[in-house]
Amino acid sequence: MKTNNRTMHPRLVYEQMETDLAQSTARNCQPGTDRVTGLPNRAMLDWYLEHLFALAPEPPLTSALLVISLREVKTMRYAFGDTICNQFMRITGRHFREAATPGQFVAALSEDEFAFVISKCTGREECMALARNLLNRVNQPTRIDGRAYFSSAHIGIALAEVESETPADMLHRAQAVLHETRLDAGEGFRFAASDSAKLAGEELSMLNEVHGACERGEFYVHYQPIYNLQNHELRGLEALLRWKSPRLGEVPPDRFIPLLEKYGGILDVGQWVLHTACRQARLWNLASAKPLRISVNVSAIQLENADFETQLTDILAKTRCQPNWIELEITESVAVRVMDRAQERLLSIAARGITLAIDDFGAGYSSFRHLASLPVHHLKLDRTLMASLPHDRKGIAIVRAIQVLSNTLGLTLTVEGIERYDQQLFCQQAGIEQGQGFLLGMPASSSEIAGALDLTNVSSAIAA
């Protein structure tokens, strides 16, 4: 933030700046108001921030900028038209103006974004309290002509804490961090760091690269073995999507998979992974003396796709893969999300003989009614629960409770994240059936897995 210029602004206070703003608007010296909401517009926000930076408050006070993005406004405009949507934005803008106190400034940034400035902010706690207040106001139903309309929001927050930063930089940081809140399972707001704009640029670059990566043959699949912990017999393998970009190198899945989900590419890539896994499952099962099941992770976007079951059936037919050779894995959070919309689809898929696993179980999204309502066959314990075992008493209690639950419901339990011998020993002594982790087996290519399994009939399996 720029330093104070007391020569140019002697004894100037924030109340005087508010007066200047009102007079400037009245004289129409600036393009003052947004035509839809009646709030100050982007140009007036820039004017305000320029003056605010010239009047940097004395520490420990600072200034803060909140950018509020409404999630459903664009869809609302397509569904209900401009008249309804504009009324919704006007009412929302009025709610935000009513939430403002002296020293706070509200502006309309775009057709679905607002800005909220705290001139003299005491710190993060004040920003968090304001963000929760604004989110609560957005979450209330908005009535227009007797009908209730709903939206939700996410908020990017930038504190003026970076030396030599301009108002444009501050706004850029607040807007750049918005994309992170869309993927955040937290409260719906996030603070921008000094490098948030840089990180957003890196994500945009990665988004451009991941488009077409499947067609260019940059994706590949590794397989991680799942073992019976009591006799170390191989029970199955999990198919894991990997990406090696010619420009970016190896990209971690937690970086590129959210991008695929964000722009819809997960549908095509997900089909490719399913096809690859089904073809591999056939090869290995024809070459193996014992049946092997391949687990494939499926996203909420795939399950909510009306054509998913048909596509899955076509893949099984084309690869000549038996349904009992494949298992679909969905996370707890996905199970909660698709419960109402995809329950019948999952029941139909299970009726074909394909098993369903709940991945990352115990991560905090659980609702036991989902276990009772979905055709679940298999629970995979979240790896974070294993990190502190066997030395954490509370962790032991949680794992044993989940073990009892799985036994009572007749479900197979697999513990993920086994990386040390003491963790493996604990699971074995506890009588846990299956395990997966770096200690037991690293993810590897199909050829490496085949070599480790000593599948002598692979050639005949390929011919079949």
Side-chain angles (χ1 to χ4, degrees):
M1 188 175 217
K2 293 180 180 178
T3 57
N4 291 5
N5 190 333
R6 299 192 181 280
T7 302
M8 293 180 62
H9 302 278
R11 304 178 63 84
L12 192 60
V13 294
Y14 289 92
E15 290 77 7
Q16 181 63 50
M17 188 170 69
E18 299 287 351
T19 301
D20 290 348
L21 176 64
Q23 291 175 351
S24 175
T25 304
R27 293 194 305 267
N28 198 28
C29 294
Q30 303 287 340
T33 58
D34 175 69
R35 65 176 184 83
V36 173
T37 64
L39 292 171
N41 61 11
R42 167 66 185 273
M44 192 57 73
L45 173 67
D46 293 342
W47 182 93
Y48 187 86
L49 289 175
E50 286 287 351
H51 282 67
L52 183 63
F53 268 48
L55 299 167
E58 295 288 346
L61 297 178
T62 184
S63 301
L65 172 64
L66 288 73
V67 174
I68 307 103
S69 179
L70 303 184
R71 296 178 189 268
E72 288 81 16
V73 167
K74 285 186 173 67
T75 304
M76 186 183 299
R77 194 173 295 278
Y78 294 139
F80 305 116
D82 290 341
T83 300
I84 293 295
C85 191
N86 289 345
Q87 288 187 61
F88 181 89
M89 291 297 290
R90 274 193 293 272
I91 294 171
T92 303
R94 186 172 68 245
H95 290 329
F96 287 167
R97 189 167 55 240
E98 292 169 351
T101 60
Q104 297 181 354
F105 178 78
V106 187
L109 275 180
S110 66
E111 67 174 8
D112 62 351
E113 284 186 353
F114 293 90
F116 211 108
V117 182
I118 308 176
S119 301
K120 292 185 287 187
C121 178
T122 57
R124 295 170 71 95
E125 291 297 328
E126 182 178 355
C127 293
M128 292 166 63
L130 176 59
R132 293 186 184 106
N133 182 19
L134 298 178
L135 289 171
N136 182 61
R137 289 172 181 263
V138 173
N139 290 336
Q140 302 303 313
T142 299
R143 294 203 165 271
I144 302 173
D145 297 332
R147 181 174 178 178
Y149 295 86
F150 296 86
S151 185
S152 57
H154 48 280
I155 299 177
I157 308 172
L159 291 169
E161 55 188 17
V162 181
E163 288 295 329
S164 72
E165 185 178 49
T166 67
D169 293 335
M170 189 179 186
L171 179 59
H172 190 190
R173 282 197 298 124
Q175 291 180 313
V177 80
L178 279 174
H179 76 281
E180 298 178 22
T181 66
R182 297 188 184 100
L183 307 176
D184 197 348
E187 294 191 82
F189 59 82
R190 181 170 290 194
F191 286 88
S194 58
D195 60 350
S196 290
K198 177 185 176 183
L199 293 175
E202 291 175 353
E203 181 180 276
L204 181 60
S205 176
M206 189 179 296
L207 182 62
N208 292 334
E209 290 291 320
V210 81
H211 272 282
C214 192
E215 291 79 0
R216 296 191 299 268
E218 297 171 9
F219 288 125
Y220 62 97
V221 176
H222 271 179
Y223 300 87
Q224 186 172 30
I226 302 170
Y227 287 98
N228 182 309
L229 291 173
Q230 307 306 317
N231 58 19
H232 206 68
E233 178 183 277
L234 183 67
R235 299 294 294 273
L237 301 107
E238 180 179 358
L240 301 169
L241 177 63
R242 297 291 185 258
W243 177 31
K244 185 174 183 178
S245 164
R247 193 175 74 84
L248 302 175
E250 291 284 350
V251 184
D254 60 357
R255 294 286 306 278
F256 72 83
I257 290 179
L259 294 180
L260 291 172
E261 293 179 336
K262 187 174 181 179
Y263 82 87
I266 195 65
L267 292 175
D268 291 335
V269 176
Q271 278 195 68
W272 177 82
V273 173
L274 273 169
H275 190 279
T276 302
C278 287
R279 185 178 66 244
Q280 194 63 61
R282 172 178 166 79
L283 290 176
W284 281 339
N285 275 281
L286 290 180
S288 174
K290 296 181 180 180
L292 296 174
R293 180 175 285 122
I294 309 298
S295 301
V296 182
N297 293 277
V298 180
S299 73
I301 296 173
Q302 290 174 272
L303 290 176
E304 291 172 336
N305 178 20
D307 296 328
F308 177 73
E309 185 179 355
T310 300
Q311 293 168 352
L312 177 59
T313 303
D314 289 345
I315 289 172
L316 291 172
K318 290 177 181 177
T319 59
R320 293 181 291 169
C321 175
Q322 294 183 18
N324 63 317
W325 293 343
I326 289 294
E327 179 171 80
L328 302 183
E329 285 192 17
I330 62 175
T331 63
E332 277 190 279
S333 56
V334 168
V336 171
R337 173 174 166 178
V338 306
M339 176 64 187
D340 296 327
R341 296 186 292 274
Q343 181 181 9
E344 291 186 6
R345 191 168 301 139
L346 289 171
L347 288 168
S348 178
I349 290 172
R352 298 177 182 273
I354 298 172
T355 58
L356 178 67
I358 301 296
D359 196 14
D360 299 338
F361 190 79
Y365 297 92
S366 299
S367 175
F368 290 150
R369 75 180 180 91
H370 297 103
L371 295 181
S373 303
L374 292 175
V376 178
H377 308 86
H378 185 183
L379 296 182
K380 300 190 74 175
L381 198 67
D382 184 63
R383 65 182 64 249
T384 60
L385 293 175
M386 284 300 298
S388 60
L389 295 184
H391 309 294
D392 180 7
R393 291 185 178 180
K394 292 183 178 179
I396 290 174
I398 293 173
V399 171
R400 290 195 180 279
I402 294 176
Q403 184 182 12
V404 171
L405 173 67
S406 63
N407 289 338
T408 302
L409 297 177
L411 306 177
T412 301
L413 179 64
T414 296
V415 172
E416 295 186 293
I418 298 178
E419 299 180 358
R420 304 191 311 268
Y421 286 107
D422 59 344
Q423 293 173 331
Q424 180 183 6
L425 181 60
F426 164 78
C427 293
Q428 289 172 332
Q429 292 177 342
I432 294 174
E433 185 175 355
Q434 295 185 167
Q436 178 180 353
F438 293 163
L439 179 67
L440 303 176
M442 298 287 288
S445 67
S446 57
S447 58
E448 291 171 322
I449 294 291
L453 295 177
D454 191 26
L455 299 176
T456 56
N457 298 322
V458 171
S459 298
S460 59
I462 294 174

